[in-house]
Amino acid sequence: MRYEHVLLTGAAGRIGHCLRDGLRDAVRDLRLTDLRPIEDLARGETFVQADLCDAEAVGRAVAGMQAVVHLGGVPDEAPFEVLEGPNLRGTFNVFDAARRAGVRRVVYASSNRITGFYPASRVLDGNEPVRPDGLYGATKAFGEALGRLYADKFGLEVVCVRIGSFEERPSEVRHLTTWLSPADAVRLFTACLEAPDVGFETVYGVSANTRRWWDLEAAARLGYEPRDDAELYAAGLPDEDAGSDVQGGRFARADYGGWAL
């Protein structure tokens, strides 16, 4: 592994737990942080409890690290007052702490929801203007813009991963295009940490799905080689987004999340 000292924020979450299993044997020091305590530490793991909104606590968590995988934050649509602390202030705190601590690379967990209003008929490569399908996607757009700023202004290496539908297996028709398997998630984030000479990159986090909406050329340049395909699970899946013509599906509806009622 290019970096031996790696911080994983949001380590108590589903993706965090998956990446712990996939990264701990590849690095010398895997430091975990979350608002919730983590007690089942494995060899090579340490834990620093931190609220992302507390800049001093984030600074303590980042100190001494070479790379940060930033997963922490509210992971779905919510009222602005719920999102603004973890997803806006918290993301700023992580990037700024990384700059101050001399961290070389930040891998930022963005979301496919940042482009949810693009037509379902269009294949995206990550270079299009953002079209978030809600406030959550808009906060991820802020995080990507912040990453671009810190790359340009301070020379921080930043990879923004627009994560698809992270699930053990597809459970609805939309996942045939958006699924990111746990094994491919480990492959992708490992590639993001191992790739040499990264300036600023935006990649989609998706498996090798036959029907995927997103081009994987940028991720391939980092060394990502997905192996799973949602098509194997296509039979009998419910279609919760029937009739939707945008990639965000039900997430793009005005009533999703409840804040706009």
Side-chain angles (χ1 to χ4, degrees):
M1 178 69 73
R2 177 171 295 271
Y3 300 105
E4 292 295 319
H5 304 276
V6 177
L7 173 68
L8 187 63
T9 76
R14 292 189 308 125
I15 300 179
H17 191 274
C18 171
L19 294 187
R20 285 175 60 191
D21 290 342
L23 294 177
R24 73 166 66 96
D25 291 335
V27 302
R28 180 183 303 174
D29 174 18
L30 183 61
R31 184 180 296 171
L32 314 176
T33 187
D34 206 293
L35 188 59
R36 295 177 286 167
I38 297 176
E39 298 178 351
D40 60 331
L41 297 177
R43 186 176 63 180
E45 293 181 335
T46 56
F47 175 71
V48 177
Q49 189 168 4
D51 183 339
L52 292 176
C53 297
D54 184 337
E56 291 187 3
V58 172
R60 289 192 294 271
V62 170
M65 295 291 99
Q66 297 171 317
V68 175
V69 177
H70 179 40
L71 302 173
V74 177
D76 200 354
E77 194 71 354
F80 181 76
E81 58 269 20
V82 174
L83 292 163
E84 65 174 324
N87 291 26
L88 301 181
R89 171 65 64 179
T91 297
F92 168 77
N93 286 341
V94 169
F95 274 107
D96 206 53
R99 171 183 71 87
R100 293 174 182 275
V103 168
R104 186 60 187 150
R105 183 172 301 180
V106 174
V107 182
Y108 171 62
S110 186
S111 172
N112 72 94
R113 308 266 291 279
I114 203 170
T115 48
F117 266 110
Y118 276 95
S121 58
R122 182 169 174 179
V123 175
L124 307 179
D125 64 11
N127 292 313
E128 300 82 5
V130 298
R131 294 183 66 180
D133 55 37
L135 289 179
Y136 166 69
T139 68
K140 290 301 181 179
F142 168 81
E144 289 194 10
L146 202 62
R148 175 91 261 185
L149 170 67
Y150 274 70
D152 288 342
K153 188 178 286 288
F154 304 114
L156 188 66
E157 295 187 350
V158 177
V159 183
C160 299
V161 181
R162 294 178 176 178
I163 298 171
S165 301
F166 176 81
E167 304 285 344
E168 286 294 327
R169 58 180 290 171
S171 59
E172 59 184 75
V173 168
R174 183 174 179 271
H175 292 170
L176 297 177
T177 57
T178 63
W179 184 48
L180 176 64
S181 73
D184 280 338
V186 172
R187 294 182 188 106
L188 176 56
F189 278 86
T190 298
C192 291
L193 288 169
E194 289 188 336
D197 304 321
V198 171
F200 177 87
E201 293 285 348
T202 299
V203 302
Y204 277 97
V206 64
S207 288
N209 305 324
T210 300
R211 309 187 199 188
R212 69 178 183 271
W213 287 316
W214 310 314
D215 185 275
L216 287 176
E217 182 178 348
R221 289 198 300 268
L222 298 179
Y224 175 48
E225 298 181 358
R227 301 178 188 174
D228 298 320
D229 187 346
E231 204 66 26
L232 294 174
Y233 305 95
L237 292 177
D239 190 355
E240 298 186 18
D241 293 308
S244 177
D245 59 357
V246 297
Q247 295 187 7
R250 67 187 179 282
F251 302 117
R253 294 201 306 252
D255 62 349
Y256 186 79
W259 59 269
L261 298 179

